[in-house]
Amino acid sequence: MPMRAVIQRVSRAEITIDHRETRSIGPGLVVFLGVMQGDGEAQADFLAEKVHGLRVFTDENQKMNLSLEDVQGELLVVSNFTLGTDCKKGRRPSFDLAAPPQEADRLYQRFVAHAKEQGIRKVETGEFGAHMDVLCANDGPVTLIIDTEKIGK
């Protein structure tokens, strides 16, 4: 199964965890990360590198030609098991595609650690399994979906 990420370019974002703690970033990317059954470390590492190198920030010619590193952007990573939904039958989504919580948390943490290793200036996270309120000021808007299965990883 694919690891999935919904990525938004933001001018700022914040996450409040269980109505008690708020973390924030300035300009950069928010990644909603869904770990699926069968995903492994290779998918987590590949996706962290892909996010780091995505050229989705505008250069002096207004072309999306700069990466997170180029603009010294920040990163907010949010675990999101609902990306593992199957909506083929009925009206209630099935979450059977999502990895079991322990494995999903391990790979989420792997993604975060590998993102930090890429030299991203600031990496903030939500808290796996917690209730989170996420506010994103989408810049553009620019929203991308990466599915590791569709790009062969």
Side-chain angles (χ1 to χ4, degrees):
M1 297 305 304
M3 188 172 285
R4 295 179 180 153
V6 174
I7 301 162
Q8 294 185 333
R9 185 179 74 186
V10 298
S11 56
R12 67 188 180 290
E14 71 177 38
I15 188 165
T16 302
I17 302 162
D18 287 331
H19 307 289
R20 59 178 167 74
E21 179 185 357
T22 299
R23 301 170 184 166
S24 63
I25 65 166
L29 299 174
V30 173
V31 175
F32 294 94
L33 184 68
V35 179
M36 307 302 134
Q37 290 185 35
D39 282 339
E41 293 174 356
Q43 284 84 11
D45 292 350
F46 169 80
L47 203 50
E49 292 169 16
K50 187 76 163 177
V51 166
H52 175 254
L54 281 174
R55 296 182 350 180
V56 295
F57 296 91
T58 54
D59 63 15
E60 65 279 355
N61 297 316
Q62 300 307 307
K63 300 278 186 196
M64 286 200 301
N65 203 26
L66 301 175
S67 70
L68 196 59
E69 180 179 20
D70 295 330
V71 299
Q72 292 297 296
E74 300 177 355
L75 181 66
L76 172 62
V77 185
V78 183
S79 62
N80 191 335
F81 83 98
T82 62
L83 290 175
T85 58
D86 180 354
C87 296
K88 290 179 187 171
K89 297 179 184 173
R91 294 176 187 234
R92 179 175 295 154
S94 165
F95 301 106
D96 293 343
L97 300 176
Q102 186 175 4
E103 182 66 3
D105 185 26
R106 183 182 77 78
L107 292 172
Y108 167 74
Q109 297 301 334
R110 172 75 179 226
F111 175 93
V112 170
H114 201 63
K116 288 178 178 179
E117 290 170 4
Q118 302 302 305
I120 297 170
R121 188 167 76 90
K122 180 179 181 183
V123 179
E124 291 288 352
T125 65
E127 188 174 304
F128 190 88
H131 178 271
M132 296 173 277
D133 291 314
V134 184
L135 298 174
C136 299
N138 196 316
D139 179 20
V142 173
T143 302
L144 308 169
I145 299 171
I146 298 179
D147 181 321
T148 59
E149 183 177 60
K150 290 185 179 178
I151 54 178
K153 300 292 177 185

